[in-house]
Amino acid sequence: MEILVLVGILVLVVGGCVCVVWASRGGPLWVRGVARLTLAAGEAVRKSSRSSGRSGDQDSGDDS
């Protein structure tokens, strides 16, 4: 059962990445919506990983 969940998450991630690339090339409106959701989810994950525990690793060179 866990494998099916992980495969489902992988399919969603790959599909979101495909939509981001397609939207950057001028895809249909629904692709742009999925791309926005994918980018927003990525930003939320990035912000939560920054604030949730690696306060000692602030000097990692990833501050651009």
Side-chain angles (χ1 to χ4, degrees), residues 17-35:
C17 292
V18 168
C19 285
V20 168
V21 171
W22 191 4
S24 72
R25 297 177 181 215
L29 189 60
W30 68 270
V31 170
R32 295 178 201 161
V34 173

Side-chain angles (χ1 to χ4, degrees), residues 30-55:
W30 68 270
V31 170
R32 295 178 201 161
V34 173
R36 280 191 206 109
L37 287 174
T38 302
L39 293 173
E43 192 66 32
V45 168
R46 190 177 313 138
K47 285 182 181 180
S48 71
S49 70
R50 281 184 192 161
S51 65
S52 70
R54 297 191 318 180
S55 60

